Amino acid sequence: MFTFGHLVTGILLIVAGVLIVKYTFQLANMTGRQEWIESKLGSGSTYFIYKLLGIAVVVVGFLYATGLAAPFFSWLLGPLRSVFAPGAPQ
């Protein structure tokens, strides 16, 4: 369902995601290198993970602003419904 509040919140999420992507270097300098990410994925992967996080925030913000978040996540996580609630209707 689309509301004005969803639109504003979605736009704020989109702006936050763009800022995360734009200022990845500064964010990584503030938080430091994530050693567990670097050891698993290689050197420089902290920046990569921050960029992926920013892109994910932008996508979720767009879905939330347009009112498509609930149907999308229902479709995406629908197969898990039978795992966590075996008697629940599909």
Side-chain angles (χ1 to χ4, degrees):
M1 179 178 198
F2 177 79
T3 64
F4 183 71
H6 283 99
L7 178 66
V8 171
T9 305
I11 290 173
L12 290 174
L13 283 170
I14 291 170
V15 169
V18 168
L19 290 175
I20 289 171
V21 171
K22 183 175 181 179
Y23 295 110
T24 299
F25 183 73
Q26 290 84 354
L27 182 63
N29 283 340
M30 284 191 306
T31 59
R33 284 182 47 203
Q34 305 299 318
E35 291 298 328
W36 59 277
I37 294 174
E38 300 277 334
S39 68
K40 301 293 182 192
L41 299 177
S43 179
S45 55
T46 298
Y47 303 110
F48 174 69
I49 294 296
Y50 283 141
K51 289 199 184 279
L52 278 181
L53 175 69
I55 292 169
V57 169
V58 168
V59 169
V60 169
F62 176 75
L63 289 173
Y64 195 74
T66 58
L68 297 174
F72 174 75
F73 287 114
S74 177
W75 169 80
L76 182 67
L77 302 174
L80 296 176
R81 199 173 299 149
S82 63
V83 173
F84 292 108
Q90 299 290 325

